[in-house]
Amino acid sequence: MASSFAAVFFSSAFAACFAEVCTIPLDTAKVRLQLQKKAALATGGGGGTTGGMLGTIMCIAREEGVAALWNGIIPGLHRQCVYGGLRIALYEPVKAFFIRDGDTVAGGVSLFAKILAALMTVRLQADGKVTTVKRHYSGALNAYATIIRQEGIGALWTGLGPNIARNAIINATELASYDQLKQMFLKLPGFTDNVFTHLLAGLGAGFFAVCIGSPVDVVKSRMMGDATYKSTLDCFAKTLKNDGLPAFYKGFIANFCRIGSWNVIMFLTLEQVRRSIL
């Protein structure tokens, strides 16, 4: 039975927002760890002393209160309400558009068609994620107003190019790999369309997203924090030359903890909500 665009959009946005709420403490801890390492390098000191991701979370909760782990949740929800809803709501109709005679594999849609569909959804969205430094603003609306007043409205789209590239790659990897892994699992003996299958497919989607998207994520972060780079390719080339290939996979485990858990929660929630309302 065909699902309405509005119903899929709502279920996708809800699932994305729920995953954001559940996993933003990991993102907060990851950012703090990155800032600590950057400060240590600038002062010639050693590494961080918080004991990693878990130690950082406990330190923030103890010194600033548990609520500090959810700093920045409002702009995060703003983004997920639109981006999280559109990327999945657009995926199925765009995937159907790419299906041609012979473009199916064993009764399912080919992986190539899934990747094309996931890439195209980001192009259709023309995602404009704003860039805010959480600790400088009292809230999301204050951040938007301050950035526009001090830097101009164009500053809200700082890093748009690498952002679109990053989101296209992550989107293609997450959606296509989840779809493909779920399809593959359902063909194996003993697997059914249940929570366990969704969990495995979501975890796999998160792993592939980190493996493929980390280099673009690093470039995006560096460009948004340093205006000296002329372009995405310039940032990529200088990072590779100065820091080597491993620089593109710094913080891999922290990224996987964040993106892997986000995908598991989002896809599990999405599957349950869709069954309830569709």
Side-chain angles (χ1 to χ4, degrees), residues 9 12-21 23-24 27 72-88 122 125-132 134 140 144 156-160 162-171 174 217 220 224 258-259 262 266:
F9 176 86
S12 303
F14 177 84
C17 286
F18 183 68
E20 191 75 10
V21 171
T23 61
I24 198 170
D27 199 41
I73 186 62
I74 300 302
L77 294 179
H78 288 173
R79 178 176 185 267
Q80 293 303 339
C81 280
V82 179
Y83 173 71
L86 282 176
R87 74 182 196 130
I88 296 176
V122 174
Q125 292 164 47
D127 175 60
K129 180 181 177 183
V130 298
T131 61
T132 65
K134 299 172 189 174
Y144 302 148
L156 291 173
W157 280 268
T158 299
L160 178 62
N163 232 321
I164 291 178
R166 186 256 185 193
N167 286 331
I169 291 172
I170 295 294
N171 204 52
E174 288 178 350
D217 207 22
K220 184 203 74 170
M224 294 173 71
R258 160 71 162 149
I259 296 177
W262 193 96
M266 194 280 290

Side-chain angles (χ1 to χ4, degrees), residues 6-242:
V8 176
F9 176 86
F10 171 79
S11 58
S12 303
F14 177 84
C17 286
F18 183 68
E20 191 75 10
V21 171
C22 292
T23 61
I24 198 170
L26 295 174
D27 199 41
T28 301
K30 183 190 77 171
V31 171
R32 292 293 183 91
L33 282 170
Q34 290 173 339
L35 292 174
Q36 287 172 0
K37 290 176 181 177
K38 187 179 292 185
L41 288 173
T43 59
T49 59
T50 57
M53 178 79 71
L54 182 59
T56 302
I57 290 175
M58 294 177 65
C59 182
I60 294 171
R62 183 175 61 251
E63 296 181 1
E64 304 174 41
V66 175
L69 292 169
W70 278 267
N71 284 345
I73 186 62
I74 300 302
L77 294 179
H78 288 173
R79 178 176 185 267
Q80 293 303 339
C81 280
V82 179
Y83 173 71
L86 282 176
R87 74 182 196 130
I88 296 176
L90 288 170
Y91 176 64
E92 290 298 333
V94 175
K95 183 173 71 174
F97 173 80
F98 281 113
I99 295 175
R100 297 289 184 268
D101 293 335
D103 194 25
T104 58
V105 178
V109 182
S110 70
L111 177 60
F112 180 67
K114 294 171 184 174
I115 293 173
L116 279 179
L119 284 170
M120 185 59 69
T121 60
V122 174
R123 180 64 186 88
L124 290 173
Q125 292 164 47
D127 175 60
K129 180 181 177 183
V130 298
T131 61
T132 65
V133 181
K134 299 172 189 174
R135 67 181 187 276
H136 288 172
Y137 311 110
S138 61
L141 294 179
N142 173 255
Y144 302 148
T146 303
I147 291 172
I148 292 172
R149 184 175 64 252
Q150 295 180 353
E151 305 174 46
I153 194 169
L156 291 173
W157 280 268
T158 299
L160 178 62
N163 232 321
I164 291 178
R166 186 256 185 193
N167 286 331
I169 291 172
I170 295 294
N171 204 52
T173 306
E174 288 178 350
L175 297 186
S177 61
Y178 179 83
D179 206 356
Q180 188 72 16
L181 287 169
K182 181 181 173 183
Q183 179 182 320
M184 181 187 73
F185 288 140
L186 291 177
K187 292 178 181 178
L188 298 176
F191 280 88
T192 58
D193 193 5
N194 58 17
V195 170
F196 182 66
T197 300
H198 303 156
L199 188 151
L200 287 181
L203 197 60
F207 177 76
F208 285 121
V210 176
C211 288
I212 295 175
S214 281
V216 181
D217 207 22
V218 169
V219 169
K220 184 203 74 170
S221 298
R222 292 196 175 198
M223 286 192 68
M224 294 173 71
D226 188 344
T228 61
Y229 295 113
K230 298 177 182 178
S231 65
T232 302
L233 289 178
D234 179 57
C235 181
F236 183 89
K238 287 181 178 177
T239 301
L240 183 62
K241 179 181 178 180
N242 297 331

